[in-house]
Short mmCIF file of all heavy atoms in Angstrom, two decimals:
data_model
loop_
_atom_site.label_atom_id
_atom_site.label_comp_id
_atom_site.label_asym_id
_atom_site.label_seq_id
_atom_site.Cartn_x
_atom_site.Cartn_y
_atom_site.Cartn_z
N GLY A 277 78.10 100.56 103.77
CA GLY A 277 78.92 101.78 103.73
C GLY A 277 80.14 101.68 104.61
O GLY A 277 81.24 102.11 104.22
N LEU A 278 79.98 101.11 105.82
CA LEU A 278 81.11 101.00 106.72
C LEU A 278 82.15 100.00 106.22
O LEU A 278 83.35 100.28 106.25
CB LEU A 278 80.62 100.57 108.11
CG LEU A 278 79.90 101.65 108.92
CD1 LEU A 278 79.24 101.04 110.15
CD2 LEU A 278 80.89 102.74 109.34
N VAL A 279 81.69 98.84 105.75
CA VAL A 279 82.63 97.83 105.24
C VAL A 279 83.43 98.41 104.07
O VAL A 279 84.66 98.32 104.03
CB VAL A 279 81.89 96.55 104.81
CG1 VAL A 279 82.82 95.63 104.03
CG2 VAL A 279 81.35 95.82 106.03
N GLY A 280 82.73 99.00 103.11
CA GLY A 280 83.42 99.54 101.95
C GLY A 280 84.27 100.76 102.27
O GLY A 280 85.41 100.87 101.80
N GLY A 281 83.73 101.67 103.07
CA GLY A 281 84.45 102.89 103.37
C GLY A 281 85.68 102.66 104.22
O GLY A 281 86.76 103.17 103.92
N VAL A 282 85.53 101.89 105.29
CA VAL A 282 86.67 101.61 106.18
C VAL A 282 87.76 100.86 105.42
O VAL A 282 88.95 101.15 105.54
CB VAL A 282 86.22 100.83 107.42
CG1 VAL A 282 87.43 100.37 108.24
CG2 VAL A 282 85.30 101.68 108.28
N SER A 283 87.34 99.87 104.61
CA SER A 283 88.30 99.09 103.83
C SER A 283 89.10 99.97 102.88
O SER A 283 90.34 99.91 102.83
CB SER A 283 87.57 98.00 103.05
OG SER A 283 88.42 97.35 102.15
N THR A 284 88.41 100.79 102.10
CA THR A 284 89.08 101.62 101.10
C THR A 284 89.98 102.66 101.76
O THR A 284 91.11 102.90 101.32
CB THR A 284 88.05 102.31 100.20
OG1 THR A 284 87.16 101.33 99.68
CG2 THR A 284 88.73 103.03 99.05
N LEU A 285 89.49 103.27 102.84
CA LEU A 285 90.29 104.26 103.55
C LEU A 285 91.54 103.63 104.16
O LEU A 285 92.64 104.21 104.10
CB LEU A 285 89.45 104.92 104.64
CG LEU A 285 90.13 106.04 105.43
CD1 LEU A 285 90.51 107.19 104.50
CD2 LEU A 285 89.21 106.53 106.56
N ALA A 286 91.40 102.43 104.70
CA ALA A 286 92.55 101.74 105.30
C ALA A 286 93.61 101.43 104.26
O ALA A 286 94.82 101.60 104.50
CB ALA A 286 92.08 100.46 106.00
N ILE A 287 93.19 100.98 103.08
CA ILE A 287 94.15 100.65 102.02
C ILE A 287 94.83 101.92 101.53
O ILE A 287 96.03 101.92 101.21
CB ILE A 287 93.44 99.90 100.87
CG1 ILE A 287 93.04 98.50 101.36
CG2 ILE A 287 94.33 99.80 99.65
CD1 ILE A 287 92.17 97.74 100.40
N PHE A 288 94.09 103.03 101.46
CA PHE A 288 94.69 104.31 101.07
C PHE A 288 95.78 104.70 102.05
O PHE A 288 96.89 105.08 101.65
CB PHE A 288 93.60 105.37 100.99
CG PHE A 288 94.13 106.77 100.85
CD1 PHE A 288 94.94 107.13 99.79
CD2 PHE A 288 93.80 107.74 101.79
CE1 PHE A 288 95.43 108.43 99.65
CE2 PHE A 288 94.28 109.04 101.67
CZ PHE A 288 95.10 109.38 100.60
N VAL A 289 95.50 104.60 103.34
CA VAL A 289 96.48 104.98 104.36
C VAL A 289 97.69 104.04 104.30
O VAL A 289 98.85 104.49 104.34
CB VAL A 289 95.84 104.96 105.76
CG1 VAL A 289 96.89 105.17 106.83
CG2 VAL A 289 94.76 106.04 105.86
N LEU A 290 97.44 102.75 104.18
CA LEU A 290 98.54 101.79 104.11
C LEU A 290 99.40 102.00 102.87
O LEU A 290 100.59 101.65 102.85
CB LEU A 290 97.99 100.36 104.13
CG LEU A 290 97.49 99.84 105.47
CD1 LEU A 290 96.81 98.50 105.30
CD2 LEU A 290 98.65 99.72 106.46
N GLY A 291 98.80 102.56 101.82
CA GLY A 291 99.54 102.78 100.58
C GLY A 291 100.73 103.70 100.74
O GLY A 291 101.65 103.68 99.92
N PHE A 292 100.75 104.50 101.81
CA PHE A 292 101.89 105.38 102.07
C PHE A 292 103.06 104.61 102.69
O PHE A 292 104.16 105.17 102.78
CB PHE A 292 101.48 106.52 103.01
CG PHE A 292 100.58 107.54 102.36
CD1 PHE A 292 99.21 107.47 102.55
CD2 PHE A 292 101.10 108.53 101.55
CE1 PHE A 292 98.37 108.41 101.96
CE2 PHE A 292 100.27 109.47 100.97
CZ PHE A 292 98.89 109.41 101.16
N PHE A 293 102.84 103.37 103.12
CA PHE A 293 103.88 102.63 103.84
C PHE A 293 104.19 101.28 103.21
O PHE A 293 105.20 100.68 103.55
CB PHE A 293 103.44 102.41 105.30
CG PHE A 293 103.13 103.67 106.04
CD1 PHE A 293 101.83 104.17 106.08
CD2 PHE A 293 104.13 104.37 106.68
CE1 PHE A 293 101.54 105.35 106.76
CE2 PHE A 293 103.85 105.55 107.37
CZ PHE A 293 102.56 106.05 107.40
N THR A 294 103.33 100.78 102.33
CA THR A 294 103.48 99.42 101.82
C THR A 294 104.10 99.39 100.44
O THR A 294 104.43 100.42 99.85
CB THR A 294 102.12 98.71 101.80
OG1 THR A 294 101.17 99.51 101.08
CG2 THR A 294 101.60 98.48 103.22
N ASP A 295 104.25 98.19 99.92
CA ASP A 295 104.90 97.91 98.64
C ASP A 295 104.25 98.68 97.50
O ASP A 295 103.04 98.57 97.28
CB ASP A 295 104.80 96.40 98.39
CG ASP A 295 105.41 95.99 97.07
OD1 ASP A 295 106.20 96.76 96.52
OD2 ASP A 295 105.09 94.89 96.59
N VAL A 296 105.05 99.46 96.77
CA VAL A 296 104.53 100.18 95.61
C VAL A 296 105.18 99.70 94.31
O VAL A 296 104.84 100.18 93.23
CB VAL A 296 104.76 101.71 95.75
CG1 VAL A 296 103.97 102.26 96.91
CG2 VAL A 296 106.26 102.03 95.90
N GLU A 297 106.11 98.76 94.40
CA GLU A 297 106.81 98.30 93.21
C GLU A 297 106.00 97.29 92.42
O GLU A 297 106.12 97.18 91.21
CB GLU A 297 108.17 97.68 93.59
CG GLU A 297 109.17 98.71 94.11
CD GLU A 297 110.55 98.12 94.28
OE1 GLU A 297 110.85 97.12 93.60
OE2 GLU A 297 111.33 98.65 95.09
N ARG A 298 105.19 96.50 93.12
CA ARG A 298 104.39 95.49 92.43
C ARG A 298 102.94 95.94 92.32
O ARG A 298 102.51 96.89 92.97
CB ARG A 298 104.49 94.15 93.16
CG ARG A 298 105.74 93.38 92.78
CD ARG A 298 106.12 92.38 93.83
NE ARG A 298 106.61 93.06 95.03
CZ ARG A 298 107.22 92.44 96.03
NH1 ARG A 298 107.38 91.15 95.98
NH2 ARG A 298 107.64 93.11 97.08
N ILE A 299 102.19 95.23 91.51
CA ILE A 299 100.80 95.60 91.24
C ILE A 299 99.98 95.49 92.51
O ILE A 299 99.93 94.44 93.16
CB ILE A 299 100.22 94.69 90.14
CG1 ILE A 299 100.97 94.93 88.82
CG2 ILE A 299 98.74 94.97 89.94
CD1 ILE A 299 100.60 93.95 87.73
N SER A 300 99.30 96.59 92.88
CA SER A 300 98.45 96.57 94.08
C SER A 300 97.16 97.34 93.86
O SER A 300 96.42 97.56 94.82
CB SER A 300 99.21 97.16 95.27
OG SER A 300 99.65 98.47 94.99
#
Side-chain angles (χ1 to χ4, degrees):
L278 286 169
V279 169
V282 172
S283 171
T284 308
L285 183 62
I287 290 172
F288 169 58
V289 172
L290 285 172
F292 289 98
F293 303 92
T294 53
D295 178 19
V296 295
E297 291 189 24
R298 277 157 290 191
I299 296 172
S300 57

